[in-house]
Amino acid sequence: MTSADIGLIGLAVMGQNLVLNMDDHGYTVAVYNRTTARTVEFLDGPARGKRVMGTRTVDELVAALKPPRRIMLMVKAGGAVDAIIEQLIPLLDAGDIIIDGGNSYFEDSVRRTRRLGERGLRFIGTGISGGEEGARHGPSIMPGGDPAAWPHVKGILQAIAAKVADGTPCCDWVGPGGAGHYTKMVHNGIEYGDMQVIAEAYHLMRAGLGMSHPEMASTFRRWGDGLLDSYLVDITADILDHTDERGEPTLEAILDAAGQKGTGKWTVIDSLHLGYPMTLVAEAVYARVVSALHDQRIEAAGVLGPGSQPSKATRHGWGDDFVDAIHDALYASKIVSYAQGFMLLGAAGREHGWDLDYGRIAQLWREGCIIRAAFLDDITAAFTRRPGLPSLLLDGFFVDAVRRADPGWRRVVNAAVRAGIPVPAYSSALAFYDAYRSERLPANLVQAQRDYFGAHTYERLDRPRGEFFHTDWTGTGGGATSGSYQA
Ligand code: 2AM
């Protein structure tokens, strides 16, 4: 029987929800899972009465599909994806399509696109964001890989994706090779940053201002109606409002040691490879790392004394309008984070030869995914005004926005430093902002030092770029230089 529109392998929660979502949109899905019991449970449970065909082997799955076959993999990223691809290759015909919807590393998608392409098969590596709920009712989908595959999967992927208010799907072709998974990786890095800038606001409100949980919840709720309108701000308000069976804030019983699965780290590592700043996301990753040193922090708090002293009575003399300053610090830091994220996408696009549409990428993130926010419309507008915009911080809208936020942002960083409350995202974002708009930085001294100890040479302000000079700083050095190179 060859009647299914698409096959899906891997019936963990994301896979199951995507199948149900496809069924909602009228597609017949053949499913396979390595452990058959899971397939049976799914067919007897959530998939009962739906257009879902269970299969017990990969061969059966392949046989159930209409040509060109479309098979989506929702298995654990890494070796499992390669193992299934190798199983599928001999069973497929030229033109058949494999779609990897897992959280794969983009270099793996580059490699898989090439490997399958050599065999006449087509590969798509797609980022999918939105968690369980998104997968079920409309995630953000970021496909890349073999462009020849796109027309064959566009209909189904756009049907199941989230939609922006005017109906535009949060799914579009991102670019060749690893472009889809790269975009998803940057999305996740930005997600780390968004969570950290919110966490710093909470820390300042609680430890600095001594605000109650209902006060904090209503503040975030108010912010969520304004410039910070976003999913993460909304769920933060819900979390702050939540109480346990004793009526205590549930949040305060949670161990303050953050976990991570690695996509934030990948983003930062790749930014280092490309030589582009992702300082806010790096601080967000390190903030989780520092939080996880829980036992050491407890010991250090005893030895060094705690960094912050909650001072409910005096509120550090921060004043009634300090909450507004925190808002501005959060907003400005978020702008810096997205500016950095899109700069990184630009650098990666140039490096890999992907022709990325930044404004469209911002719309892919507008609904369905974790970083969904009204703010993304402002980003799309900026890239519409100037498609090759090198940085959001050069766009008039964002220039005005950071200028307005500037006094509050500085006030918050200053007050936090004095009070001993760590604000690594706000302060590193501010340092980046000040460096980025500096006509002159002290890198001339760094170059002089490099030339002094290593004869690394330097360029001069009064000479054209590309001419290199060496100074015999001590009067005893030779004329040989080590040549110049870019780190
Ligand atoms: P399982 O139910 O048989 O464990 C998430 O782990 C999903 O990936 C599950 O559906 C899991 O199948 C599947 N998976 C993980 N490793 C796999 C592998 N090596 N081959 C096939 N499926 C795998």
Side-chain angles (χ1 to χ4, degrees):
M1 190 171 59
T2 58
S3 56
D5 299 304
I6 186 165
L8 189 139
I9 298 181
L11 291 174
V13 68
M14 288 292 283
Q16 291 196 12
N17 282 337
L18 285 174
V19 172
L20 298 174
N21 187 348
M22 289 171 185
D23 172 78
D24 284 348
H25 290 89
Y27 294 97
T28 301
V29 191
V31 298
Y32 165 79
N33 192 70
R34 178 180 58 180
T35 311
T36 307
R38 215 201 271 259
T39 311
V40 173
E41 262 172 53
F42 179 56
L43 292 172
D44 288 346
R48 180 177 283 280
K50 312 261 184 201
R51 275 171 293 249
V52 180
M53 298 165 57
T55 65
R56 290 171 180 272
T57 63
V58 173
D59 297 60
E60 254 183 62
L61 178 93
V62 169
L65 300 173
K66 292 177 190 164
R69 299 186 186 90
R70 298 172 288 193
I71 301 173
M72 185 153 195
L73 313 184
M74 291 303 297
V75 301
K76 216 164 156 245
V81 176
D82 287 313
I84 292 181
I85 288 176
E86 292 311 314
Q87 258 183 289
L88 284 169
I89 284 175
L91 305 174
L92 298 181
D93 296 318
D96 286 350
I97 297 160
I98 297 177
I99 308 153
D100 170 25
N103 238 344
S104 294
Y105 186 55
F106 78 97
E107 296 277 21
D108 289 336
S109 296
V110 172
R111 173 174 59 75
R112 290 167 185 150
T113 305
R114 200 179 308 124
R115 163 133 179 83
L116 290 172
E118 284 161 2
R119 298 181 164 246
L121 301 173
R122 290 168 180 163
F123 181 78
I124 287 186
T126 184
I128 299 182
S129 173
E132 274 179 64
E133 193 55 26
R136 181 67 188 85
H137 299 292
S140 162
I141 305 181
M142 296 153 256
D146 182 344
W150 176 233
H152 301 282
V153 299
K154 182 177 175 180
I156 189 163
L157 292 184
Q158 291 194 334
I160 63 169
K163 309 289 184 300
V164 296
D166 69 0
T168 308
C170 295
C171 168
D172 211 339
W173 186 247
V174 177
H181 273 127
Y182 195 92
T183 302
K184 172 64 177 8
M185 178 186 82
V186 173
H187 163 283
N188 283 30
I190 287 175
E191 179 184 314
Y192 275 60
D194 279 0
M195 293 166 76
Q196 178 65 21
V197 294
I198 292 172
E200 289 179 14
Y202 154 68
H203 198 175
L204 288 162
M205 288 178 193
R206 183 167 174 273
L209 290 170
M211 287 167 69
S212 70
H213 288 75
E215 278 175 323
M216 290 189 279
S218 68
T219 302
F220 276 105
R221 222 154 248 132
R222 182 161 52 77
W223 289 0
D225 289 332
L227 293 170
L228 298 177
D229 177 350
S230 61
Y231 171 71
L232 282 168
V233 164
D234 287 350
I235 68 164
T236 301
D238 288 351
I239 290 166
L240 285 161
D241 256 343
H242 198 277
T243 50
D244 62 18
E245 54 289 343
R246 292 164 303 155
E248 301 294 327
T250 308
L251 178 58
E252 300 313 319
I254 296 177
L255 178 72
D256 50 325
Q260 50 175 316
K261 281 193 172 167
T263 39
K265 180 177 75 179
W266 294 352
T267 309
V268 177
I269 291 172
D270 201 63
S271 78
L272 291 168
H273 285 318
L274 290 172
Y276 266 75
M278 283 296 277
T279 54
L280 190 143
V281 176
E283 290 294 350
V285 175
Y286 283 128
R288 292 196 192 188
V289 169
V290 171
S291 79
L293 300 175
H294 193 256
D295 294 347
Q296 276 189 53
R297 287 197 287 116
I298 302 288
E299 186 179 347
V303 175
L304 301 167
S308 57
Q309 303 282 358
S311 73
K312 214 165 187 157
T314 65
R315 298 191 161 196
H316 295 285
W318 283 355
D320 292 340
D321 58 348
F322 196 78
V323 167
D324 299 333
I326 298 174
H327 171 278
D328 291 353
L330 195 168
Y331 182 52
S333 300
K334 186 170 159 111
I335 290 172
V336 165
S337 180
Y338 282 70
Q340 293 187 335
F342 278 93
M343 285 165 73
L344 181 65
L345 280 172
R350 287 188 293 279
E351 172 76 13
H352 300 284
W354 303 328
D355 184 21
L356 301 178
D357 179 343
Y358 312 113
R360 185 72 180 104
I361 288 172
Q363 286 302 291
L364 301 186
W365 298 341
R366 179 67 184 83
E367 295 294 343
C369 64
I370 306 298
I371 65 170
R372 60 186 182 261
F375 171 75
L376 289 155
D377 290 338
D378 300 325
I379 294 178
T380 301
F383 285 114
T384 305
R385 281 189 285 274
R386 184 177 164 193
L389 185 69
S391 163
L392 292 174
L393 289 170
L394 300 175
D395 173 77
F397 174 87
F398 290 106
V399 169
D400 287 347
V402 283
R403 278 200 185 131
R404 267 198 301 277
D406 184 291
W409 191 9
R410 278 173 211 284
R411 182 176 162 206
V412 166
V413 170
N414 189 320
V417 169
R418 284 168 175 270
I421 296 174
V423 285
Y426 296 172
S427 55
S428 73
L430 188 56
F432 170 79
Y433 171 65
D434 285 335
Y436 187 65
R437 68 201 183 103
S438 292
E439 284 184 24
R440 189 134 173 93
L441 287 169
N444 51 329
L445 177 58
V446 172
Q447 286 296 78
Q449 290 166 334
R450 294 177 66 237
D451 190 56
Y452 186 113
F453 65 68
H456 291 299
T457 75
Y458 52 87
E459 294 166 280
R460 293 184 56 90
L461 282 168
D462 54 3
R463 306 291 302 198
R465 293 295 302 265
E467 266 188 61
F468 294 91
F469 299 86
H470 170 60
T471 293
D472 178 6
W473 296 93
T474 58
T476 59
T481 67
S482 69
S484 72
Y485 50 83
Q486 305 270 317

